Amino acid sequence: MATSLQTTVYNAGIAAGSLTGGLVLESAGATALPWTSLPLIAAAVGVVAVGRRAFPPRRPA
């Protein structure tokens, strides 16, 4: 079940990104695409930063 949920969320993310990119491209043009992706990139970096603290590296005994 976890694998099917992972696949579903992954494909939903691709679809949402395609839809958002298409809407931004149609309404504001190609120059707006990097500015639209900037908050998403910042959120991803934040998730990675928090995730690193949640799983500390193992130290040999």
Side-chain angles (χ1 to χ4, degrees):
M1 185 165 163
T3 303
S4 63
L5 287 173
Q6 178 186 9
T7 303
T8 301
V9 170
Y10 184 77
N11 287 325
I14 292 172
S18 298
L19 177 65
T20 303
L23 291 173
V24 169
L25 187 61
E26 184 177 321
S27 64
T31 57
L33 287 174
W35 297 109
T36 304
S37 65
L38 188 62
L40 297 173
I41 293 170
V45 169
V47 168
V48 169
V50 170
R52 284 188 178 215
R53 280 190 266 151
F55 300 103
R58 295 180 117 185
R59 296 188 182 182

